Amino acid sequence: PTSGHISVPKSTPTNEELKMESQDSGSASSNISFNSGVEVKKKPMVINVAESTEFNGDPGDTYKVRTKPKGWVLLINNEKFECDKYPTRTGSEVDERNLEALFTQLGLKVLVRRNLKKDEMRKEILRFSDLEDHTSCDMAMVCICSHGLDKDKIISSDCKELDVREDIMSKFNNEECEKLRGKPKLFMFQACRGSRQDFGIIDQPMMRSLNPGPPGASAFKRIPVWEDMLIIYSTIPGYVSIRNHEEGAWFVQCFCKVLMEKAHNTNMRRMLDGVAWELRQYQGEEGNVESCTYESQNFYKQLFLNPGLNE
């Protein structure tokens, strides 16, 4: 298929119980199943990334991602928690396994950390930010799977809050992480961002230049502190993120499927649009649906991962 075509999944998650990682108790409806008649997957997802045959993108408009490894990923999976408010995230081990396989086949090195307390998460994030290997690699990624709250808070295994921007992203900006200046930095959060559930709507048929500023007075060129960042969320602000006990989170399933099929010839933002479309096909028996989103901080260029190719 061409890069502009995103296929609809041939099957959807099983009838097994789903969990929603909500802000109230970490579990807002533990009894959601899928419509009868939907084809049920019998086997776990197999990650098999299609490899590129040539480097994609115009060099003047594309981030250079050609080193071996292409970069490092810090993957934190908080599955178990020390308080009753946040129950065990059953199924998250499937997400961890699939994501680790995906990132590895894309040409990235993966550091996996599990069930970290707040202080431990902070230390691992700082240690990763200071990783010497960033100097010789072309990109980096932080991926966190956990419970979450509104206002972009992530929950540690000791049930404390971390702020996405201040506690995580800020450690990789141009001021704090010189090794990654000018390089693409991806952040992915598989977590709730509130307690609301999306039940969708019934679809009905419908009719259907910036001027450059003056030269700076300073002899030194100044650049923004926050640059080259792409932030990916499994759900939109205020809403839960849905996780299947047997097959993992809906979003992670879609993310893995699209990237392993499309990364060989499709840029990252187009793939994320494809992930959103893929996720749109998922629906629970009670009508539950989910919407993912992403945002950028001066992410100036296209990003092609070019799996299988290095210089």
Side-chain angles (χ1 to χ4, degrees):
T2 65
S3 61
H5 176 263
I6 303 297
S7 60
V8 175
K10 296 180 180 178
S11 56
T12 52
T14 68
N15 288 338
E16 299 296 330
E17 182 184 37
L18 300 175
K19 282 287 188 180
M20 296 193 184
E21 299 164 342
S22 76
Q23 68 169 7
D24 295 325
S25 63
S27 166
S29 182
S30 58
N31 207 11
I32 298 173
S33 58
F34 280 82
N35 296 322
S36 57
V38 173
E39 181 183 354
V40 175
K41 285 191 286 189
K42 303 296 184 183
K43 298 179 181 179
M45 174 179 283
V46 177
I47 304 299
N48 186 15
V49 172
E51 294 190 344
S52 300
T53 56
E54 61 182 0
F55 288 109
N56 295 280
D58 177 358
D61 185 40
T62 303
Y63 286 108
K64 182 177 178 291
V65 180
R66 301 188 177 192
T67 55
K68 186 176 183 179
K70 292 181 169 64
W72 286 81
V73 180
L74 174 62
L75 172 56
I76 298 176
N77 178 26
N78 289 335
E79 179 183 11
K80 300 180 184 298
F81 300 82
E82 297 178 359
C83 62
D84 294 336
K85 183 178 181 180
Y86 300 108
T88 297
R89 298 178 58 253
T90 306
S92 68
E93 74 282 357
V94 180
D95 294 336
E96 177 189 314
R97 182 173 65 247
N98 287 341
L99 288 169
E100 183 177 9
L102 176 73
F103 296 143
T104 299
Q105 291 185 37
L106 287 171
L108 300 158
K109 289 285 188 180
V110 187
L111 299 171
V112 178
R113 301 291 184 264
R114 303 181 185 91
N115 301 321
L116 300 184
K117 298 179 180 180
K118 181 174 183 177
D119 288 344
E120 293 171 336
M121 287 185 70
R122 282 177 162 173
K123 288 177 182 177
E124 286 293 338
I125 289 165
L126 282 172
R127 186 179 294 120
F128 185 68
S129 171
D130 198 42
L131 190 68
E132 189 60 38
D133 285 4
H134 289 321
T135 302
S136 58
C137 292
D138 282 340
M139 64 174 290
M141 183 172 186
V142 175
C143 179
I144 299 179
C145 304
S146 189
H147 286 298
L149 306 179
D150 58 0
K151 299 181 180 178
D152 292 332
K153 305 295 183 185
I154 299 294
I155 305 303
S156 59
S157 68
D158 56 349
C159 304
K160 296 179 180 178
E161 299 176 14
L162 289 89
D163 183 81
V164 163
R165 190 174 183 86
E166 295 304 317
D167 293 319
I168 302 169
M169 289 175 53
S170 68
K171 311 309 177 189
F172 300 87
N173 65 29
N174 286 340
E175 188 173 42
E176 298 291 333
C177 188
E178 185 176 352
K179 300 181 188 72
L180 288 172
R181 283 184 190 172
K183 301 177 182 180
K185 297 165 281 287
L186 277 59
F187 302 86
M188 191 172 102
F189 302 98
Q190 169 56 50
C192 282
R193 303 175 75 187
S195 59
R196 296 177 64 184
Q197 298 183 38
D198 187 349
F199 292 99
I201 61 170
I202 303 300
D203 192 18
Q204 299 290 340
M206 295 179 63
M207 299 288 295
R208 325 207 182 244
S209 100
L210 296 174
N211 294 319
S218 172
F220 299 96
K221 176 176 172 56
R222 303 185 70 85
I223 61 174
V225 172
W226 299 79
E227 277 190 316
D228 308 299
M229 293 183 172
L230 191 62
I231 308 99
I232 307 159
Y233 297 97
S234 63
T235 190
I236 58 178
Y239 284 82
V240 298
S241 190
I242 304 172
R243 173 172 33 84
N244 181 281
H245 280 189
E246 299 296 324
E247 298 176 357
W250 286 3
F251 169 77
V252 173
Q253 293 177 55
C254 296
F255 183 84
C256 290
K257 182 179 189 299
V258 171
L259 265 69
M260 69 181 182
E261 293 177 356
K262 304 291 182 181
H264 69 288
N265 65 359
T266 309
N267 73 69
M268 191 68 198
R269 281 196 258 204
R270 182 67 191 97
M271 286 193 290
L272 292 175
D273 293 336
V275 172
W277 178 254
E278 191 82 17
L279 186 58
R280 189 178 186 268
Q281 316 308 316
Y282 284 62
Q283 178 177 314
E285 190 176 66
E286 297 179 8
N288 306 73
V289 293
E290 183 175 348
S291 300
C292 59
T293 186
Y294 65 92
E295 60 189 50
S296 64
Q297 293 276 189
N298 295 323
F299 201 78
Y300 304 115
K301 303 179 181 182
Q302 296 187 88
L303 173 61
F304 289 92
L305 296 175
N306 298 313
L309 294 182
N310 304 98
E311 284 187 341

